Structure formats: C-alpha cells, structure tokens
Amino acid sequence: MNDNYLSAANTGANNLSPHSQLNTYSSSLSSSSATASLSHGAANSMKSQMTGPSEAGISRSPSTSNRETQKKKIGHREVKDGVVHYKKISTDELKKSIQFGIVHFLSEQNRTQMDRDLLMQDFQIVETVQFPKTGSPTTPAHDYSDFKLKVYAPYGFRYLRRKFNVNEVDFMSALGDSELKEVSNPGASGSVFYKTSNDKYILKTVQYQECEFLKTLLAGYTLNLLQNLINQKFSLLPTIYGLYCYQKYELASFLSDRTNIRIVIMNNILPSDVPIHEKYDLKGSSHKRKASKEERAKSNPTFKDLDFLEEHPNGLMLDEKNYDNIIGSIKRDCLILESFGIMDYSLLLGIHNLEKERNNTAIEAYYEARINNPAYNNPSVNSNGSMSASNRYSISTGRSIENAFNISAVPAKNSKGDRLLLYFGIIDILQSYRFKKKLEHTLKSMITDG
Amino acid sequence: MNDNYLSAANTGANNLSPHSQLNTYSSSLSSSSATASLSHGAANSMKSQMTGPSEAGISRSPSTSNRETQKKKIGHREVKDGVVHYKKISTDELKKSIQFGIVHFLSEQNRTQMDRDLLMQDFQIVETVQFPKTGSPTTPAHDYSDFKLKVYAPYGFRYLRRKFNVNEVDFMSALGDSELKEVSNPGASGSVFYKTSNDKYILKTVQYQECEFLKTLLAGYTLNLLQNLINQKFSLLPTIYGLYCYQKYELASFLSDRTNIRIVIMNNILPSDVPIHEKYDLKGSSHKRKASKEERAKSNPTFKDLDFLEEHPNGLMLDEKNYDNIIGSIKRDCLILESFGIMDYSLLLGIHNLEKERNNTAIEAYYEARINNPAYNNPSVNSNGSMSASNRYSISTGRSIENAFNISAVPAKNSKGDRLLLYFGIIDILQSYRFKKKLEHTLKSMITDG
C-alpha cells in the first residue's frame, strides 16, 4: 500500500527542485513507536462508525437534513418537535444566551483589563458572571432564562487571541452582531456546533472531561505558541480563542438542578470564500479508515484515509519548501500532542481544485503568487509579537485576514496535473479523555469476555 | 525622606529631554498594596543582622579573611583546620566532584541530545548519573569519593542556556577547564559560593526547600523569558543555567547516609573587567536598611537603602530612555515575582564611577557610546530566537559577551555630575520559602509571648 500522501515535487515554474519523495505524511503523523501505531489502530476501530464533522472544518453549506436522522438523540443533543435541544435547552435560547453573555463579558474586559505579561497563574483563573433576566447593577436585562457564565482563564485567552492576531472588537462583533448558525450535521459525540455568520469562528459544546483536559493543556499550548512565534514557525494545532460554561439557574430555588453547557471557541480551518471540492479526515492508518455510506450520501462528505488513497494513489505533489513547512509543523505539533498523551487526533485536509473553477481569476492569481513567491511561506513576527497577517490575503476581497494564523492555502498538484489549494489543520485533540475511557471500557470487556 | 533613588534626567549631550522626575524606583519595587509593604518591612527586620554577599553579585576580590569569623559554623558551612567544609565534605572534594560530574553530563548531553521545542514536561525530569571512583562503562574514573549527580530539568536548562545565548562549549569550558574559586565571604545562610575563573558564572549551594521552590518556578520563569524575547525586553531576574544535586555515597553500604548538596548555577551580575566602587542591596524600604559595622569593615562592602540615601540624597540621574527601560523591567519582573508569592528579594546595584578611573579610555568610549547611541538599549532577537549579544561589548576586549543577557551597564550621573556606569540585578529570589518559614516562626513566638 502506498503510504505517501504528500510528496515534494516540482509544481512551480520557478522551482527547479527534483521530483523527490522526501518523506511520508503518515510516518510523521503516526508516532514512530509500535505502541502508538497500535493505539491509532485501536482508535480507528472505535471511530469507524462515527460520521459527521469533526470539531473544526465544518462543511460550508448545511447538508440535506434527514428528518428521521434528526429525531435521534445523540449524547446530549436531541431534536424535539423540529427544534434542536442540548441538555434540554433549546438551541435558540442557548446560542442567544451565550452570545449575550460572552459579548458582555468581553466588552467589560476590554474596558477594564490592561495588557500585561501572561503569568502561569492566569490559566487557573475562572470568573463567573450572573445574568439575571431582570438585569443587575452590572448586567443588562435580557429575554432568556436567568443564567450564569463561567469564563475560564479570561486573561489567558485574551492573551492568546492577541498572539493569534485576533482584534477584540472584530471578535466581539463576529460573536454578537448576527445570529450564530447551527451546523445541522451533528457529530457522533452529540456535540452542538455553531458558526459565526462570517464563518471565522466555531463554537462547540464540550463535555466536562474535555473542558478539564483543555485546562491542563493551556500552559503547554501557550509555551508551544510562543516558541513558534520566536522561531517564526507555523502550527497546525487548533487555535483556541475561549472556554466558557453556560449555567441555567432559577433564582428562586437553591435546590434546582443546574445545567452546565461548556463551550469552546476555535478557528474554522476551511475557508468561507473558496469552494472545497474534497475533504479528508486523516489518521495515517488504513484500518477501517473508509467513510461510511451515510457520510458519502451527504453533499459535503468527509472522507478518510482509504478514500484518499483510492482517489490519489500517487499522493499530492508539493514544492519542496511547502512540503518541508508542512512536515516540520506536523512534527512539532505531534511532539506536543504526544507529550500530553493525546493520540486520537486527525489531520483535516480540505482540497480546492482550480481546474473545477476555471473562471475564478482571484484564486488563480493567489495560486500563482503562492507558487512564485516563497515569501508567502515565511510568516513574520510583527511589533506586537503576534503573527503578521500581512502575507495572507483573503481571496475574495484582497484584504488581509486577521485570523489566518495557521498555514493558509498551500499550492499543490494532483497526479493529473490539476492545480490544487490545500487547507490543513489538526482536529479532535480534546477527545483523548473520551478515547482513554473507551479504551479502558473495551479492554475491560475483552477481559470479561475471555 | 527622599525615596527617589533614580530619576530620569538629561545626562547625554545628545539627549534633550527635560530634567524630569518621572517615577521612583522604590514605588515600583515595593508592591503597591499596604500588605506587601509591611512584608518588606518584616523581611528587613529579619535580615538586618545578615551580612555577606547575596546570591549573586560576588565582590571581585576576596575580602581580608578574619580567622575568627571563618571558624564559625554557619548553616552547613564549617571551617575545620583552615579548610572549608560543607555538610562535612571538604570544599576541594566538593568543587572538583561537581566540576567533573557536570562537565561529563553536559558533554554527553551535547553528543546525544537533539535540539527541539521545549515541552512543559521537560521541567519535571530528573536524571541521575553514578560516578564511581573506579569508573564505569559510561563514566571515567576519578580521584574523589564515589558520588551521584542528579541533574534537574536537563533539557529545560539546556533550552534556557540557548535562549540566554550561552554557548555550550564555552559553558563547559568555564566550568571545567580551571579550578572554581571559592568566594571566602560566606552569606549568613551558610551557603557556599563558587565562581568560575572567568568570573561569568556563580555556583551556589541551595537548601532542599529552595531547590524545590526553584523547580516550581521554572515554567513561569520560562514563560516570562519567552515573552521578553518576543517583546525584545530585558529582565533583571537572575539568569539560571542549571540545577544539580551532588550525592556522596558508599557503594558497599546501602544503609550509609547520603549527603545531598544542591547547586544552582547563575550569572554574575557584576562585571569582571570594570572596577565597582559602590555596591548596594536595595529593598525599597528604610526600616533597618543600614549595613552593619562588620560589613562596612570589608574591602568591598555591600551597602543598603539608608546608606544609598545618605550617599546619594538626590538619587542618580539617568537619561529618559534608560530610565524607562529599567523601570519597565522592574515592573515586569515584580509582576512575576509577586505571582509566585516571592517577597524577600533585593535589587543589587553596582556603581562604577568613571571619574575615579580617569585613564581608562575603553570605559570612557563605552560610556560615550551608550549615551550617544540609543540602539545600545534595544536588544534584538536573533535568528536563533535568543537575545542578540551584538549590542554588548566587553569593555576590556571589545569582543561581544555571550552571557550578557541582562541589562548591561547603564550610563548615569550622580548629583556632583560624575559619570557612572550602573549594573543591576534582582537577587535572593529563592529565599521566599526560608522567609515564610521565619515569618511563621516569628508569628508563632509572638502569639506564645503574648
């Protein structure tokens, strides 16, 4: 079997490097140890029934909804009378409450919090704000149920957003100015996904254990980010912009059950202004890595490793510099993921095929610029100590994209010679806890069965 | 009382800033809260009997040794038959063993360890190497007692040294090529201090609690360092190059007591090639902050806050840029010290007076360059992501100094108009644990006495 998904090759007119197969994607993504490879296999066998989008890289248009599928209760997500509920709270109430609470919190933070150095202790802090329906001296009235908002590491995430070059006003505007779009295609986890109307940010519900796990990651994640900034290197890890917990509560009763809904805000790996023709969830393993029939029936299916090898038996060709950048990023990212015992992650790959949109001159120009100008591949640290966005351009507008921290579109070719733009990102890193739990359960059942 | 130790003023011919008193050193060094100021006071009252050098900033020539003073046992340091012992191990055996062990470890590390990103987990790692007198397949024979060397965070400190722009070969050479000089003037803690023969590095014994405390600081310390690198800012915090534990042991007996001697390697704040005419240990407090008679009798005494105010009632004048740099550093450094509950630290200030060495043209030229060229104050991050040493020059040689991470000499004037070079560094940060213990003890005795 051909494991070489990506290979360095001569795709650019100005690039005279020989057509050499330098390395394989899968040998970098999989750990070199046999144990870790085995783990990937185990993870795959458990995930093989899973369908739907991963935690990032939401399909651009909602897929044709199937009434019967939507009626099912998956995890905490349930459809009642055509309305999606999460932990028995209607999606409308949930998304409007969190929009209201988060934007209020952020604008207060902007008003009062001075920029300063980040401290280790910032990751431990949790702030709670009460939002009674009737309003309070510090919070405005609203039309939803009384709720509390817990804000995890408020200064820590504010610092991270600055380093990711996210403008706070733009961020609040994206979150609060228009309705969040629910992605109607739920993952197997029963999580609810929302996208901001500008397609930049994803809000996803996470379980208690995922939330706790993320909190333990934050310091190492930041250490990694700062090193990338100093070394002017990219990361394919998810960019995480905030972690919150919505709590519905009744003022009248101290005994009432509190509903905790934890929300993480992340980047959207796939672009909003470039059509994606193929989408893959890759693990560097071949065991049961084929998209299900249900997934294939969707309008924007997410394919898997075996589908990729069938579609691209000779892999994709990148020029040497882009290839080295991607492989270098994957190696660095895997080092930190491994150090936290994270095994059950995927590489999301979105492919735009330029030959399928021949009349789009903006994308053509972008492709040529990326191929001919190696400077596009060198991010620079600007005077604020954040990644400079000056090298990235939004294809549709020509303006710079503020949130384009991760490697933006990478030019490539398939074996037919079609020009491609590739979008990469590592996803599903928070499911390690769930994975470990499942593995434990599986091992226990094996012992019992034997 | 005049609390303005430093003030921004026009000291340079090319600097036309008005003679303005911008801020005070003491208001920055002391915490703004009343509680913290009180703590400083309490700390001072306990430290007022202490004499001798602090953990860095060793006087350049050994002071006239007093036989009677040397006979005393202070802490674990004891003089027997004219030979200094620490935990009953002769200083000669101790320093030769640690030189031997550390240099062997570092050369092995250099041979085998690849550079990679730093991970959070690197700070937890402790490696132990056995050095039997007779040698082993992996260690050479030696003339001292059998010993073990524990190396704390070996990759963590290697990474820090690289960021501090310390060349590993130069570091090993400084540690191993010639005998360590014991600084004969012990601190009240009973610690033993060694200096490398090139005066760059200080090796100091630390207590178990100080060692444990340092280990908890490392991640936050590194976070702070990386932020300073990104923001191209200086820090006055001690630069820490390594933490080790020497253990003497007898192969024959498993029951024999093991002697643990913990050693931290740090920078020497004071220069080896510029005479220091005044030296101060400052806490931003006036309570009992006067050097003792014993201290004053020394050839290179360390004075305190009240002595400074007596000698410099109008403070020292810095140009605005240098003043802002120093105050900015102190503010950032105090933020991290406070976040770790470190209260009992000092600012070491060494003053070279150019008028007292009129014939030294190298120092004159350096002073003029620092005054006239603001670029000297702007460190730049080089391609290795470490502080560039290109802006610093060793006065005697004109060559760049590899280990000059901290702010190098800052030009200033005293009220008489004498031109000065100031050397700054924050010291005694590890004694927080000891301080807390003493405070607890004092409070307990107060309650009992009442």
Side-chain angles (χ1 to χ4, degrees), chain A residues 103-115:
Chain A
V103 170
H104 176 81
F105 181 87
L106 292 176
S107 63
E108 275 303 293
Q109 188 184 33
N110 271 343
R111 207 171 53 78
T112 55
Q113 181 116 51
M114 299 283 287
D115 282 347

Side-chain angles (χ1 to χ4, degrees), chain A residues 304-341:
Chain A
K304 294 187 178 175
D305 300 59
L306 291 176
D307 307 309
F308 180 92
L309 292 171
E310 203 175 298
E311 183 70 22
H312 303 283
N314 299 314
L316 303 174
M317 309 296 151
L318 278 70
D319 66 67
E320 203 167 331
K321 188 157 176 51
N322 279 312
Y323 177 81
D324 289 347
N325 279 344
I326 292 283
I327 296 298
S329 295
I330 290 176
K331 279 185 180 163
R332 285 190 304 277
D333 294 338
C334 288
L335 182 70
I336 176 176
L337 292 172
E338 223 173 277
S339 78
F340 280 102

Side-chain angles (χ1 to χ4, degrees), chain B residues 98-164:
Chain B
I98 57 178
Q99 280 185 295
F100 184 85
I102 293 174
V103 170
H104 176 81
F105 181 86
L106 292 177
S107 64
E108 275 302 293
Q109 188 184 34
N110 270 343
R111 206 171 55 77
T112 56
Q113 181 115 51
M114 299 283 287
D115 282 346
R116 58 162 171 78
D117 277 356
L118 181 72
L119 299 168
M120 221 56 196
Q121 291 78 358
D122 286 320
F123 297 122
Q124 313 302 327
I125 290 170
V126 184
E127 281 187 42
T128 305
V129 186
Q130 304 215 1
F131 290 95
K133 190 185 182 69
T134 52
S136 76
T138 54
T139 59
H142 55 79
D143 296 332
Y144 330 114
S145 301
D146 297 329
F147 70 97
K148 278 188 193 177
L149 189 73
K150 274 194 190 178
V151 184
Y152 297 98
Y155 190 77
F157 280 112
R158 179 187 164 90
Y159 183 91
L160 288 175
R161 289 193 297 272
R162 204 163 74 229
K163 291 298 163 202
F164 287 134

Side-chain angles (χ1 to χ4, degrees), chain A residues 49-307:
Chain A
Q49 299 84 5
M50 289 172 64
T51 57
S54 294
E55 69 188 29
I58 301 299
S59 59
R60 284 167 37 260
S61 58
S63 58
T64 328
S65 61
N66 177 326
R67 184 84 194 194
E68 263 181 312
T69 315
Q70 287 222 343
K71 266 184 185 166
K72 275 201 298 192
K73 184 172 188 296
I74 308 174
H76 294 296
R77 186 183 183 279
E78 193 173 12
V79 183
K80 280 195 286 196
D81 303 325
V83 177
V84 175
H85 285 66
Y86 188 82
K87 292 193 176 181
K88 296 183 181 160
I89 294 174
S90 81
T91 193
D92 194 59
E93 163 135 22
L94 175 61
K95 69 185 181 187
K96 284 183 175 157
S97 301
I98 57 178
Q99 281 185 295
F100 184 84
I102 293 174
V103 170
H104 176 81
F105 181 87
L106 292 176
S107 63
E108 275 303 293
Q109 188 184 33
N110 271 343
R111 207 171 53 78
T112 55
Q113 181 116 51
M114 299 283 287
D115 282 347
R116 58 161 171 79
D117 278 356
L118 181 72
L119 299 168
M120 221 56 196
Q121 290 78 359
D122 286 321
F123 297 121
Q124 312 302 327
I125 289 169
V126 184
E127 281 187 42
T128 305
V129 185
Q130 304 216 1
F131 290 95
K133 190 184 181 71
T134 53
S136 76
T138 54
T139 59
H142 56 79
D143 296 332
Y144 329 114
S145 301
D146 297 328
F147 70 97
K148 279 187 193 177
L149 189 73
K150 274 194 190 179
V151 185
Y152 297 97
Y155 190 77
F157 280 112
R158 179 187 164 90
Y159 183 91
L160 288 175
R161 289 193 297 272
R162 204 163 74 231
K163 291 299 163 202
F164 287 133
N165 231 348
V166 170
N167 177 291
E168 288 292 298
V169 174
D170 292 349
F171 186 62
M172 283 188 284
S173 165
L175 286 175
D177 282 359
S178 50
E179 210 172 331
L180 295 176
K181 299 180 277 186
E182 193 192 342
V183 181
S184 63
N185 195 352
S189 62
S191 291
V192 175
F193 289 82
Y194 299 114
K195 263 199 308 185
T196 55
S197 63
N198 68 356
D199 279 330
K200 279 189 185 178
Y201 306 110
I202 290 172
L203 291 84
K204 183 201 170 192
T205 57
V206 289
Q207 296 181 7
Y208 168 75
Q209 293 89 347
E210 292 172 316
C211 176
E212 292 302 302
F213 185 55
L214 175 56
K215 281 153 68 183
T216 67
L217 292 182
L218 284 176
Y221 177 81
T222 304
L223 198 64
N224 178 267
L225 168 64
L226 295 181
Q227 290 179 87
N228 281 334
L229 284 170
I230 288 173
N231 300 327
Q232 309 200 357
K233 298 285 186 193
F234 280 115
S235 168
L236 298 176
L237 294 176
T239 50
I240 299 173
Y241 300 123
L243 182 62
Y244 302 89
C245 181
Y246 163 92
Q247 293 183 318
K248 189 176 175 180
Y249 74 106
E250 309 295 331
L251 275 180
S253 163
F254 288 101
L255 296 172
S256 71
D257 263 0
R258 280 186 188 155
T259 305
N260 290 304
I261 300 181
R262 293 166 194 84
I263 305 269
V264 63
I265 306 184
M266 297 180 299
N267 63 323
N268 188 1
I269 294 164
L270 300 182
S272 57
D273 48 7
V274 180
I276 293 300
H277 300 105
E278 297 168 49
K279 196 170 58 173
Y280 295 96
D281 175 304
L282 301 172
K283 283 189 185 290
S285 152
S286 60
H287 186 65
K288 294 198 180 178
R289 295 293 298 158
K290 212 166 168 55
S292 65
K293 275 186 189 171
E294 293 74 24
E295 185 64 27
R296 288 165 191 280
K298 293 177 185 170
S299 62
N300 276 302
T302 303
F303 293 104
K304 294 187 178 175
D305 300 59
L306 291 176
D307 307 309

